[in-house]
Structures are given as structure tokens and as C-alpha cells.
Amino acid sequence: MNFSTVDIVIFIGYLIVLCAIGLWLSFKDKQEGAEDYFLASKSLPWWAVGGSLIASNISAEQFIGMSGSGYVVGMAIASYELMAAITLIIVAKYFLPIFIKKGIYTMPQFLEERFDKRVHTGLAIFWVLLFVFVNITSVLYLGALALKTIMGIDMMYGIIGLVIFASTFSIFGGLKAVVWTDVIQVTVLIFGGLLASVLVLNAIGGSTWEGFSTLLERAPEKFDMILDKTHEEYKNLPGISVLVGGMWIANLYYWGNNQYIIQRALGAKSLKEAQKGTAFAAFLKVLLPLIVVIPGIAAFVLDANISKPDEAYPWILDNYVITGFKGLAFAALISAIGSSLSSMVNSTSTIFTMDIYKPLDKKASNRKIVTIGRIVAAVSLIIGGIVAPLLGNLDQAFQFIQEYTGFISPGVVVIFLFGMFWKRTSANAAFWVVILSIPLSVALKYFTPEIPFMNRMGLCFLILSAIIIVISLIENKTDDKKAIYLEKGLFKTSPVFNTAAILIMGILAVIYAAWW
């Protein structure tokens, strides 16, 4: 990519300013205790919660990976974003009241309170491994791929640079520094991402609307929201299952049981602030397909000269974002990578420190706990940087992330749903789900390869649900001794939240009705 002097100044200036802000936030306030470091002293307002949720979620896997899938499959891939908006509303209304009432730091901590230490420790280990070897690793790889494609920077140097960038506001400052830099980054990434989409649409049709109409006219198949069995990508997006099947498992896991997402809500000032922030994030999710999918479809229509789908977004930046704005658009991409990395690193650190290390060193001081958290954050970034180059043979990285996260998500969703809402669920039943989740997912993948992975997640969920029900019925003739009792009014939400939920449902109904 040919960067002008102005582009380079904007890009480098943005990185320097953000790193400086992150370091300032890290050392401005003393991180004396676990609540300060891991939950931002429970001081986050709704707009910070919502902005950080989206900044944590949008990363190279969306900009690069989802644009690549948009190039291949089209708007159907946006179901991940659109269904996530509904999921966020459900999580805010029915999950957050329980989590916040419990006063927890981590998802495994909730599992220990509801079940026992076996379930707690088993899933804590799974999550740490998943974050480091799938999430952090894939984001580093995709970010370095963007740097290589756009700026010609060697993959290894790109990975090292991203590790250093993310470390400036994720190691020392804890959740507070991560969230406040997220607010800056989500503003830049949405503006810069929309700018790239608007510019390529203008280039195609003379105006944004005409460009969009041209995409509809020249590639109508790319706007099918529900794929039929004849489509080559049916194996990844199996028709109606994206609405009523396995995608619910992926979304409920990611938005409702995933530490680096829920941690933002746990750090909110109050339940109402957390719920308003989550509704705000749901609105932003509805906007995201314009930023991350449209460029991929545009690259297809423009017959992009690329060797693999994941090069679609960098190709758009290189060819259609005008001089003076390339630096800003590229800064948006790096913002997405940096914010997601910092969130994943912080949550890896939180789970390892609070759920694996602290039970082994029960007398550890607050200062020592924070120190261990910082060490784990640094080590997770280093390991991710070492493993990231091994992903170089991937075709569509977004689908890789979804499929391999899907090895654990059905079991996690089963444990949380039954643990929260069925009082007879026993600890042994939950433990067997932990034990069987990954082996069952692997067995289904290798013995039924013809079944789309999303449907395999749904099938795995049903089998694990049957297991937890049978074992619990055998063991508990009445309510489990650790059952959660939901008092009247726990799920009551504010008029603001209810209005937002209705609007989001209406928007999604219109989208699916128009492009069914």
C-alpha cells in the first residue's frame, strides 16, 4: 500500500497517543486489590461498558476474517453479528442479574459456587488454553497478515509489534486501562471502518446508496441471509440453523458465558448500567455488517486480485481508501486488534490468577495477586506470539475460530443454563459434561464430517443436555443443595432497556424479511 506522509503521521501518531494514554491510565491509579485490577473498581458507566464490549469483540477476525467470509459467502455471514444483537438482550435481561447478584470476578468462580471445585477448575483450565491458543493466537496472526498485506511488514515483525502495542495497556493497568482505551478505539474503528465502506461504495456507484444498489444488482446471491443445501458454504452456515439451531449455542457461549465479554458488565457501576451498556452494544452489532461484510462483497464484485479470501479487506484499503484517510482506516483496524488482544489477555490473566493460582496460594496478598496477574498477561502474549505463525495455512480464519471454539461452547452453555435455571442440576452431572464436552465434539467432527459444524454444536448441546438431566434426576430427588433461587422481580428491566430491545428486534425482523 502506498501511504502518503499524512497517512503515516496519522497512523503512527494514533498509536503513540493511544499507548501513552494506556500507560498513563495504568500508572495514574494504584491497582492495590483484585477488584481494582480485574473489575475496574466496579466503576464503569453504561457507555464504557457498551463501547468496551464491542471493542473487545471486533478484531482482526471481523475486519479480516469476516470480510474474507463476506467475499466467499456474502451477507449470510452477518448472521453472527445480527443474532448476537438478540443474544445481548437475552444475556442482559436473564444472565447479568444472576452474575452481578453473586458478586463474582470470573465465570469459573460462579461454577464453584453453584457446583464444586472440579467443575470450576476444569473449565478454568479449558478457558485459559482456549484464550491463549485459539483467541489470542488467531488475532495476532490475522493482525500480522493485515500488516504484511498493507504495509509489507514481515509476519514475525508484525506479531512482535502487536504484542508490544497490546502490552502497553493490558499488563499494568488491568481492566480499567483496557476499558478506557477501548472507548477511544471503538470510536476510531467504527468511524474508520464506516469510512472504508463508504469510500468503496462511492467508487462502485458514485454515491453510497448507488454503490450499495450496484452490489445488490451485480451479486444478488451475496445477499441471501439463509443459504440452501446447494451452496458451497452450507457446511459453515447451514440454512435455518443460523436462526434456530447451533448459532444460538455459539452466541450464548460467547456473549453470556465468555469471561472477556462478561467481565465488562461485572465491572459496571450497577446492574442497570450494565444492562444499558449491553443494549448499547446490541445496537452497534446491528451496524457492524456495514463495516465488516460489505467490503468483502465489494471486493468480490470488483474482482479483487487476491490469493485468499482473508486478503479482501486489506485489498479494499489499498485500492479504494483515498490518500489522507488510509492512515485513519488502518488505525481503525489496528485499534480493533489492540482492543481485542488486551481484553483477551486481561481475562486470561483474571481466570488464571483468581481461579487457578489463588486457590493454591490462599494467603497471597492483594499486591501479590496483582503481580501474578501481570506476569500471566505478559506470558500469554508471548505464547500467542510464538504460536501465531503456525496459522499461516488457514483459508478463512473466522470459520476456524468458530469451529474450534465450538468444541467447548456446547458444554459450557449446558452447564450454565441448567445451573442457573434448573434447581435439581447436580455437581456430578455438571462435571461429567465438562469431561465429555471436548471428546464428544471431536468424535462428532471425525465420525460425522458431513454434518455442518454449527449443527454439530446443536447436536452436542442436546446430547450433553440429556446427560446432565439424567444424572441430576438420579442423584437429586429434590432441589440441589447449591441451587439458585430466583426472587420475584430479579429480571425486571428499565423502560429504556425495554424500548431498546423492541427497536433491535424490529430492525432485525425487517432485515431478515427483506433478504430471506
Side-chain angles (χ1 to χ4, degrees), residues 423-501:
K423 298 180 183 66
R424 286 182 66 174
T425 309
S426 71
N428 281 331
F431 180 66
W432 274 107
V433 170
V434 173
I435 295 296
L436 295 174
S437 183
I438 291 179
L440 179 59
S441 296
V442 172
L444 287 172
K445 176 176 174 61
Y446 286 100
F447 289 108
T448 59
E450 72 282 359
I451 299 178
F453 83 86
M454 195 174 293
N455 287 349
R456 289 201 306 269
M457 280 198 298
L459 180 60
C460 188
F461 173 82
L462 293 175
I463 294 172
L464 293 173
S465 294
I467 290 170
I468 205 170
I469 290 171
V470 170
I471 295 175
S472 295
L473 288 175
I474 292 172
E475 290 195 331
N476 286 334
K477 304 306 179 185
T478 58
D479 294 350
D480 188 78
K481 61 183 179 180
K482 287 190 173 183
I484 295 174
Y485 291 90
L486 308 173
E487 66 268 22
K488 185 177 180 181
L490 180 64
F491 300 127
K492 185 177 181 180
T493 46
S494 68
V496 172
F497 177 86
N498 295 337
T499 301

Coordinates of all heavy atoms in Angstrom, one line a residue, residues 423-501:
K423 N -33.1 -26.2 39.3 CA -32.6 -26.3 40.7 C -32.1 -27.7 41.0 O -31.3 -27.9 42.0 CB -33.7 -25.9 41.7 CG -34.1 -24.5 41.6 CD -35.2 -24.1 42.6 CE -35.7 -22.7 42.5 NZ -36.4 -22.5 41.2
R424 N -32.5 -28.7 40.3 CA -32.1 -30.1 40.6 C -30.7 -30.5 39.9 O -30.2 -31.6 40.1 CB -33.2 -31.1 40.1 CG -34.4 -31.1 41.0 CD -35.4 -32.1 40.6 NE -35.0 -33.5 40.7 CZ -35.8 -34.5 40.5 NH1 -37.1 -34.3 40.2 NH2 -35.3 -35.8 40.6
T425 N -30.1 -29.6 39.2 CA -28.9 -29.9 38.5 C -27.8 -30.2 39.5 O -27.5 -29.4 40.4 CB -28.4 -28.7 37.6 OG1 -29.5 -28.3 36.8 CG2 -27.2 -29.1 36.8
S426 N -27.1 -31.3 39.4 CA -26.1 -31.7 40.4 C -24.7 -31.4 39.9 O -24.5 -31.3 38.8 CB -26.3 -33.2 40.7 OG -25.8 -34.0 39.6
A427 N -23.8 -31.4 40.9 CA -22.4 -31.1 40.6 C -21.8 -32.2 39.8 O -21.0 -32.0 38.9 CB -21.6 -30.9 41.9
N428 N -22.1 -33.5 40.1 CA -21.6 -34.6 39.3 C -22.0 -34.5 37.9 O -21.3 -34.9 36.9 CB -22.0 -35.9 39.9 CG -21.1 -36.3 41.1 OD1 -20.0 -35.9 41.2 ND2 -21.7 -37.0 42.1
A429 N -23.3 -34.2 37.7 CA -23.8 -34.0 36.3 C -23.0 -33.0 35.5 O -22.6 -33.2 34.4 CB -25.3 -33.7 36.3
A430 N -22.8 -31.8 36.2 CA -22.0 -30.8 35.5 C -20.6 -31.2 35.2 O -20.0 -30.9 34.2 CB -22.0 -29.5 36.4
F431 N -20.0 -32.0 36.2 CA -18.6 -32.4 36.0 C -18.5 -33.4 34.8 O -17.6 -33.3 34.0 CB -18.1 -33.1 37.3 CG -16.7 -33.6 37.2 CD1 -15.7 -32.7 37.0 CD2 -16.5 -35.0 37.2 CE1 -14.4 -33.2 36.9 CE2 -15.2 -35.5 37.1 CZ -14.1 -34.6 37.0
W432 N -19.5 -34.3 34.6 CA -19.5 -35.2 33.5 C -19.6 -34.4 32.2 O -19.0 -34.8 31.2 CB -20.5 -36.2 33.7 CG -20.1 -37.4 34.5 CD1 -20.4 -37.7 35.8 CD2 -19.1 -38.4 34.1 NE1 -19.7 -38.8 36.2 CE2 -18.9 -39.2 35.2 CE3 -18.3 -38.6 32.9 CZ2 -18.0 -40.3 35.1 CZ3 -17.5 -39.6 32.9 CH2 -17.3 -40.5 34.0
V433 N -20.4 -33.4 32.2 CA -20.5 -32.5 31.0 C -19.1 -31.9 30.6 O -18.7 -31.9 29.5 CB -21.5 -31.4 31.1 CG1 -21.5 -30.4 30.0 CG2 -22.9 -32.1 31.2
V434 N -18.4 -31.4 31.7 CA -17.0 -30.9 31.5 C -16.1 -32.0 30.9 O -15.4 -31.7 29.9 CB -16.4 -30.4 32.8 CG1 -15.0 -30.0 32.6 CG2 -17.2 -29.2 33.3
I435 N -16.2 -33.2 31.4 CA -15.3 -34.3 30.9 C -15.6 -34.7 29.5 O -14.7 -34.9 28.7 CB -15.5 -35.5 31.9 CG1 -15.0 -35.2 33.3 CG2 -14.7 -36.7 31.3 CD1 -13.5 -34.9 33.3
L436 N -16.9 -34.7 29.2 CA -17.4 -35.3 27.9 C -17.4 -34.2 26.8 O -17.5 -34.6 25.6 CB -18.7 -35.9 28.0 CG -18.8 -37.2 28.9 CD1 -20.2 -37.7 29.1 CD2 -17.9 -38.3 28.4
S437 N -17.4 -33.0 27.1 CA -17.7 -31.9 26.1 C -16.7 -32.0 24.9 O -17.2 -32.1 23.7 CB -17.6 -30.5 26.7 OG -18.0 -29.5 25.8
I438 N -15.4 -31.9 25.2 CA -14.5 -31.9 24.1 C -14.4 -33.2 23.4 O -14.4 -33.3 22.1 CB -13.1 -31.4 24.5 CG1 -13.1 -29.9 24.9 CG2 -12.0 -31.7 23.5 CD1 -11.9 -29.4 25.4
P439 N -14.3 -34.4 24.1 CA -14.3 -35.7 23.4 C -15.5 -35.9 22.5 O -15.4 -36.4 21.4 CB -14.3 -36.7 24.5 CG -13.6 -36.0 25.6 CD -14.1 -34.6 25.5
L440 N -16.7 -35.5 23.0 CA -17.9 -35.7 22.2 C -17.9 -34.8 20.9 O -18.2 -35.2 19.8 CB -19.1 -35.3 23.0 CG -20.5 -35.4 22.3 CD1 -20.7 -36.8 21.8 CD2 -21.6 -35.0 23.3
S441 N -17.4 -33.5 21.1 CA -17.3 -32.6 19.9 C -16.3 -33.2 18.9 O -16.6 -33.1 17.7 CB -16.9 -31.2 20.4 OG -17.8 -30.7 21.2
V442 N -15.2 -33.7 19.4 CA -14.2 -34.2 18.5 C -14.7 -35.5 17.7 O -14.5 -35.7 16.5 CB -12.9 -34.6 19.2 CG1 -11.9 -35.4 18.3 CG2 -12.2 -33.3 19.8
A443 N -15.4 -36.3 18.5 CA -16.0 -37.6 17.9 C -17.0 -37.2 16.8 O -17.0 -37.8 15.7 CB -16.6 -38.4 19.0
L444 N -17.8 -36.2 17.1 CA -18.8 -35.8 16.1 C -18.2 -35.3 14.9 O -18.6 -35.5 13.7 CB -19.8 -34.8 16.7 CG -20.8 -35.3 17.7 CD1 -21.6 -34.2 18.4 CD2 -21.8 -36.3 17.0
K445 N -17.1 -34.5 15.0 CA -16.4 -33.9 13.9 C -15.8 -35.0 13.0 O -15.9 -34.9 11.8 CB -15.3 -33.0 14.4 CG -14.4 -32.4 13.2 CD -13.4 -31.4 13.7 CE -12.4 -31.0 12.6 NZ -13.1 -30.3 11.5
Y446 N -15.2 -36.0 13.6 CA -14.5 -37.0 12.8 C -15.4 -38.2 12.3 O -15.1 -38.8 11.3 CB -13.3 -37.6 13.6 CG -12.1 -36.6 13.6 CD1 -11.9 -35.8 14.7 CD2 -11.3 -36.3 12.5 CE1 -10.9 -34.8 14.8 CE2 -10.3 -35.4 12.5 CZ -10.1 -34.6 13.7 OH -9.1 -33.7 13.7
F447 N -16.4 -38.5 13.0 CA -17.3 -39.6 12.6 C -18.5 -39.1 11.8 O -19.1 -39.9 11.1 CB -17.8 -40.4 13.9 CG -16.7 -41.2 14.5 CD1 -16.2 -40.8 15.7 CD2 -16.2 -42.3 13.8 CE1 -15.1 -41.6 16.3 CE2 -15.1 -43.0 14.4 CZ -14.6 -42.7 15.6
T448 N -18.8 -37.8 11.9 CA -19.9 -37.2 11.1 C -19.5 -36.0 10.4 O -20.0 -34.9 10.6 CB -21.2 -37.0 12.0 OG1 -20.8 -36.0 13.0 CG2 -21.7 -38.2 12.6
P449 N -18.4 -36.1 9.6 CA -17.9 -34.9 8.9 C -18.8 -34.2 8.0 O -18.7 -33.0 7.7 CB -16.6 -35.4 8.2 CG -16.9 -36.8 8.0 CD -17.7 -37.3 9.1
E450 N -19.8 -34.9 7.5 CA -20.8 -34.4 6.6 C -21.8 -33.4 7.3 O -22.4 -32.6 6.6 CB -21.6 -35.5 5.9 CG -22.6 -36.2 6.7 CD -22.0 -37.3 7.7 OE1 -20.7 -37.4 7.7 OE2 -22.7 -37.9 8.4
I451 N -21.9 -33.5 8.6 CA -22.8 -32.6 9.3 C -22.1 -31.2 9.5 O -21.0 -31.1 10.0 CB -23.1 -33.1 10.7 CG1 -23.9 -34.5 10.5 CG2 -24.0 -32.2 11.4 CD1 -24.3 -35.1 11.8
P452 N -22.7 -30.1 9.1 CA -22.1 -28.8 9.3 C -21.7 -28.6 10.8 O -22.5 -29.0 11.7 CB -23.2 -27.8 8.9 CG -24.0 -28.6 7.9 CD -24.0 -30.0 8.4
F453 N -20.6 -27.9 11.0 CA -20.1 -27.8 12.4 C -21.1 -27.1 13.3 O -21.2 -27.3 14.5 CB -18.8 -27.1 12.4 CG -18.8 -25.6 12.4 CD1 -18.9 -24.8 13.6 CD2 -18.7 -24.9 11.2 CE1 -19.0 -23.4 13.5 CE2 -18.7 -23.5 11.2 CZ -18.8 -22.8 12.3
M454 N -21.9 -26.1 12.7 CA -22.9 -25.5 13.6 C -24.0 -26.4 14.0 O -24.5 -26.4 15.2 CB -23.6 -24.3 12.8 CG -24.3 -23.3 13.7 SD -24.9 -21.9 12.7 CE -23.3 -21.1 12.3
N455 N -24.4 -27.3 13.1 CA -25.4 -28.4 13.5 C -24.8 -29.4 14.5 O -25.5 -29.9 15.4 CB -25.9 -29.1 12.3 CG -26.8 -28.2 11.4 OD1 -27.3 -27.2 11.9 ND2 -27.1 -28.7 10.2
R456 N -23.5 -29.6 14.4 CA -22.8 -30.5 15.3 C -22.8 -29.9 16.7 O -23.0 -30.6 17.7 CB -21.3 -30.8 14.9 CG -21.2 -31.6 13.7 CD -19.8 -32.3 13.6 NE -18.7 -31.3 13.7 CZ -18.1 -30.7 12.7 NH1 -18.5 -31.0 11.4 NH2 -17.1 -29.9 12.8
M457 N -22.7 -28.6 16.8 CA -22.7 -27.9 18.1 C -24.1 -28.1 18.7 O -24.3 -28.3 19.9 CB -22.4 -26.4 17.9 CG -21.0 -26.0 17.9 SD -20.7 -24.3 18.2 CE -21.5 -23.5 16.9
G458 N -25.2 -27.9 17.8 CA -26.5 -28.1 18.3 C -26.8 -29.5 18.8 O -27.4 -29.8 19.9
L459 N -26.3 -30.5 18.0 CA -26.4 -31.9 18.4 C -25.7 -32.2 19.7 O -26.2 -32.9 20.6 CB -25.9 -32.8 17.3 CG -26.0 -34.3 17.5 CD1 -27.4 -34.8 17.7 CD2 -25.4 -35.0 16.3
C460 N -24.4 -31.7 19.8 CA -23.6 -31.9 21.0 C -24.4 -31.3 22.2 O -24.4 -31.9 23.3 CB -22.3 -31.2 20.8 SG -21.1 -31.6 22.1
F461 N -25.0 -30.1 22.0 CA -25.7 -29.5 23.1 C -26.9 -30.4 23.6 O -27.1 -30.5 24.8 CB -26.3 -28.1 22.6 CG -27.2 -27.4 23.6 CD1 -26.7 -26.7 24.6 CD2 -28.6 -27.6 23.4 CE1 -27.6 -26.1 25.5 CE2 -29.4 -26.9 24.3 CZ -28.9 -26.2 25.4
L462 N -27.6 -31.0 22.7 CA -28.7 -31.8 23.0 C -28.3 -33.1 23.8 O -28.9 -33.5 24.7 CB -29.5 -32.2 21.8 CG -30.2 -31.1 21.0 CD1 -30.9 -31.5 19.7 CD2 -31.3 -30.4 21.9
I463 N -27.2 -33.7 23.3 CA -26.7 -34.9 23.9 C -26.2 -34.6 25.4 O -26.5 -35.3 26.3 CB -25.5 -35.5 23.1 CG1 -26.0 -36.0 21.8 CG2 -24.9 -36.6 23.9 CD1 -24.9 -36.5 20.8
L464 N -25.5 -33.5 25.5 CA -25.0 -33.1 26.8 C -26.1 -32.7 27.8 O -26.1 -32.9 29.0 CB -24.0 -32.0 26.7 CG -22.6 -32.3 26.0 CD1 -21.8 -31.1 25.8 CD2 -21.9 -33.4 26.8
S465 N -27.1 -32.1 27.2 CA -28.3 -31.7 28.0 C -29.0 -33.0 28.5 O -29.4 -33.0 29.7 CB -29.3 -30.9 27.1 OG -28.8 -29.7 26.8
A466 N -29.1 -34.0 27.7 CA -29.7 -35.3 28.1 C -28.9 -35.9 29.2 O -29.4 -36.4 30.2 CB -29.8 -36.2 26.9
I467 N -27.5 -35.8 29.1 CA -26.7 -36.4 30.1 C -26.8 -35.7 31.5 O -27.0 -36.3 32.5 CB -25.2 -36.3 29.7 CG1 -24.9 -37.3 28.5 CG2 -24.2 -36.6 30.8 CD1 -23.6 -37.1 27.8
I468 N -26.9 -34.3 31.4 CA -27.0 -33.6 32.7 C -28.3 -33.8 33.3 O -28.4 -33.8 34.6 CB -26.7 -32.1 32.5 CG1 -26.2 -31.4 33.8 CG2 -27.9 -31.3 31.9 CD1 -25.6 -30.0 33.6
I469 N -29.4 -34.0 32.5 CA -30.7 -34.2 33.1 C -30.8 -35.6 33.7 O -31.3 -35.7 34.9 CB -31.8 -34.1 32.0 CG1 -31.9 -32.6 31.5 CG2 -33.1 -34.6 32.4 CD1 -32.8 -32.4 30.3
V470 N -30.3 -36.6 33.0 CA -30.4 -38.0 33.5 C -29.6 -38.1 34.8 O -30.1 -38.7 35.8 CB -29.9 -39.0 32.5 CG1 -29.7 -40.4 33.1 CG2 -30.8 -39.1 31.3
I471 N -28.4 -37.7 34.9 CA -27.5 -37.8 36.1 C -28.2 -37.0 37.2 O -28.2 -37.5 38.4 CB -26.1 -37.4 35.8 CG1 -25.5 -38.3 34.8 CG2 -25.3 -37.4 37.1 CD1 -24.1 -37.9 34.3
S472 N -28.6 -35.8 36.9 CA -29.2 -35.0 38.0 C -30.5 -35.6 38.6 O -30.7 -35.6 39.8 CB -29.6 -33.6 37.5 OG -28.4 -32.9 37.1
L473 N -31.3 -36.2 37.7 CA -32.6 -36.9 38.2 C -32.2 -38.1 39.1 O -32.9 -38.4 40.0 CB -33.4 -37.3 37.0 CG -34.1 -36.1 36.2 CD1 -34.8 -36.7 35.0 CD2 -35.1 -35.4 37.1
I474 N -31.2 -38.8 38.7 CA -30.8 -40.0 39.5 C -30.2 -39.5 40.9 O -30.6 -40.1 41.9 CB -29.7 -40.8 38.8 CG1 -30.3 -41.4 37.5 CG2 -29.1 -41.8 39.7 CD1 -29.3 -42.1 36.6
E475 N -29.5 -38.4 40.9 CA -28.8 -38.0 42.1 C -29.7 -37.2 43.0 O -29.6 -37.3 44.3 CB -27.5 -37.2 41.8 CG -26.4 -38.1 41.2 CD -25.1 -37.4 41.2 OE1 -25.1 -36.1 41.2 OE2 -24.1 -38.1 41.3
N476 N -30.5 -36.3 42.4 CA -31.2 -35.3 43.3 C -32.7 -35.6 43.1 O -33.3 -35.5 42.0 CB -31.0 -33.9 42.8 CG -29.6 -33.4 43.3 OD1 -29.1 -33.9 44.3 ND2 -29.0 -32.4 42.6
K477 N -33.3 -36.0 44.2 CA -34.8 -36.2 44.2 C -35.5 -34.9 44.5 O -36.7 -34.8 44.1 CB -35.2 -37.2 45.3 CG -34.5 -38.6 45.2 CD -34.7 -39.2 43.8 CE -33.9 -40.5 43.7 NZ -34.0 -41.1 42.3
T478 N -34.8 -33.9 45.0 CA -35.3 -32.6 45.2 C -34.3 -31.6 44.7 O -33.3 -32.0 44.1 CB -35.7 -32.4 46.7 OG1 -34.5 -32.5 47.5 CG2 -36.7 -33.3 47.2
D479 N -34.5 -30.3 45.1 CA -33.6 -29.3 44.7 C -32.1 -29.6 45.2 O -31.9 -30.1 46.3 CB -34.0 -27.9 45.2 CG -35.3 -27.5 44.5 OD1 -35.7 -28.1 43.6 OD2 -35.8 -26.5 45.0
D480 N -31.1 -29.3 44.3 CA -29.7 -29.4 44.7 C -29.4 -28.4 45.9 O -30.0 -27.4 46.0 CB -28.8 -29.1 43.5 CG -27.4 -29.4 43.8 OD1 -27.0 -30.6 43.8 OD2 -26.6 -28.5 44.1
K481 N -28.5 -28.8 46.8 CA -28.2 -28.0 47.9 C -27.6 -26.7 47.5 O -27.6 -25.7 48.4 CB -27.3 -28.8 48.9 CG -25.9 -29.1 48.3 CD -25.1 -29.9 49.3 CE -23.7 -30.3 48.6 NZ -22.9 -31.1 49.6
K482 N -27.0 -26.6 46.3 CA -26.4 -25.3 45.9 C -27.3 -24.6 44.8 O -26.8 -23.7 44.1 CB -25.0 -25.5 45.3 CG -24.0 -25.8 46.4 CD -22.6 -25.8 45.8 CE -21.5 -25.9 46.9 NZ -20.2 -25.8 46.3
A483 N -28.5 -25.0 44.7 CA -29.4 -24.4 43.7 C -29.6 -22.9 43.9 O -29.5 -22.4 45.0 CB -30.8 -25.1 43.8
I484 N -29.8 -22.3 42.7 CA -30.0 -20.8 42.7 C -31.5 -20.5 42.8 O -32.3 -21.0 41.9 CB -29.4 -20.2 41.5 CG1 -27.9 -20.3 41.5 CG2 -29.8 -18.7 41.4 CD1 -27.2 -19.8 40.2
Y485 N -31.9 -19.8 43.8 CA -33.3 -19.4 43.9 C -33.5 -18.0 43.4 O -32.8 -17.1 43.9 CB -33.8 -19.6 45.3 CG -33.8 -21.0 45.8 CD1 -32.7 -21.6 46.4 CD2 -35.0 -21.8 45.6 CE1 -32.7 -22.9 46.7 CE2 -35.0 -23.1 46.0 CZ -33.8 -23.7 46.5 OH -33.9 -25.0 46.9
L486 N -34.4 -17.8 42.4 CA -34.6 -16.5 41.8 C -35.8 -15.8 42.4 O -36.9 -16.2 42.2 CB -34.8 -16.8 40.3 CG -33.8 -17.7 39.6 CD1 -34.2 -18.0 38.1 CD2 -32.4 -17.0 39.6
E487 N -35.5 -14.7 43.1 CA -36.5 -14.0 43.7 C -37.4 -13.2 42.8 O -36.9 -12.8 41.7 CB -36.0 -13.1 44.8 CG -35.1 -11.9 44.3 CD -33.7 -12.3 44.3 OE1 -33.3 -13.5 44.3 OE2 -32.8 -11.4 44.3
K488 N -38.6 -12.9 43.1 CA -39.5 -12.1 42.3 C -38.9 -10.7 42.0 O -38.4 -10.1 42.8 CB -40.8 -12.0 43.0 CG -41.9 -11.3 42.2 CD -43.2 -11.2 42.9 CE -44.3 -10.6 42.1 NZ -45.6 -10.5 42.8
G489 N -39.0 -10.3 40.7 CA -38.5 -9.0 40.3 C -37.1 -9.0 39.9 O -36.6 -7.9 39.5
L490 N -36.4 -10.1 40.0 CA -34.9 -10.2 39.6 C -34.7 -9.8 38.2 O -33.7 -9.1 37.8 CB -34.4 -11.6 39.9 CG -32.9 -11.7 39.6 CD1 -32.0 -10.9 40.5 CD2 -32.5 -13.2 39.7
F491 N -35.6 -10.2 37.3 CA -35.4 -10.0 35.9 C -36.2 -8.7 35.3 O -36.3 -8.6 34.1 CB -35.9 -11.2 35.1 CG -35.1 -12.4 35.4 CD1 -35.8 -13.6 35.8 CD2 -33.7 -12.4 35.5 CE1 -35.1 -14.7 36.1 CE2 -33.0 -13.6 35.8 CZ -33.7 -14.7 36.2
K492 N -36.7 -7.9 36.2 CA -37.3 -6.7 35.8 C -36.3 -5.7 35.3 O -35.3 -5.4 35.9 CB -38.1 -6.0 37.0 CG -38.9 -4.8 36.6 CD -39.7 -4.3 37.8 CE -40.5 -3.1 37.4 NZ -41.3 -2.5 38.6
T493 N -36.6 -5.1 34.1 CA -35.7 -4.2 33.5 C -36.3 -2.8 33.3 O -37.6 -2.6 33.3 CB -35.3 -4.7 32.1 OG1 -36.4 -5.2 31.3 CG2 -34.3 -5.9 32.2
S494 N -35.5 -1.8 33.0 CA -36.0 -0.4 32.9 C -36.7 -0.1 31.6 O -36.5 -0.8 30.6 CB -34.8 0.5 33.1 OG -33.9 0.4 31.9
P495 N -37.5 0.9 31.6 CA -38.2 1.3 30.3 C -37.2 1.6 29.2 O -37.5 1.3 28.0 CB -39.0 2.6 30.7 CG -39.2 2.4 32.2 CD -38.0 1.8 32.7
V496 N -36.0 2.2 29.5 CA -35.0 2.5 28.5 C -34.5 1.2 27.9 O -34.5 1.0 26.6 CB -33.8 3.2 29.1 CG1 -32.7 3.4 28.1 CG2 -34.3 4.6 29.6
F497 N -34.2 0.2 28.7 CA -33.8 -1.1 28.2 C -34.9 -1.8 27.4 O -34.6 -2.3 26.3 CB -33.3 -2.0 29.3 CG -32.9 -3.4 28.9 CD1 -31.6 -3.6 28.5 CD2 -33.8 -4.4 28.9 CE1 -31.2 -4.9 28.1 CE2 -33.5 -5.7 28.5 CZ -32.2 -5.9 28.1
N498 N -36.1 -1.8 27.8 CA -37.2 -2.4 27.1 C -37.4 -1.8 25.8 O -37.7 -2.5 24.8 CB -38.5 -2.3 28.0 CG -38.3 -3.1 29.3 OD1 -37.5 -4.0 29.4 ND2 -39.2 -2.8 30.3
T499 N -37.4 -0.5 25.7 CA -37.5 0.2 24.4 C -36.4 -0.2 23.4 O -36.7 -0.4 22.2 CB -37.5 1.8 24.6 OG1 -38.6 2.1 25.5 CG2 -37.7 2.5 23.3
A500 N -35.2 -0.2 23.9 CA -34.1 -0.6 23.1 C -34.2 -2.0 22.6 O -34.0 -2.3 21.4 CB -32.8 -0.4 23.9
A501 N -34.7 -2.9 23.4 CA -34.9 -4.3 23.0 C -35.9 -4.4 21.9 O -35.7 -5.1 20.9 CB -35.3 -5.1 24.2

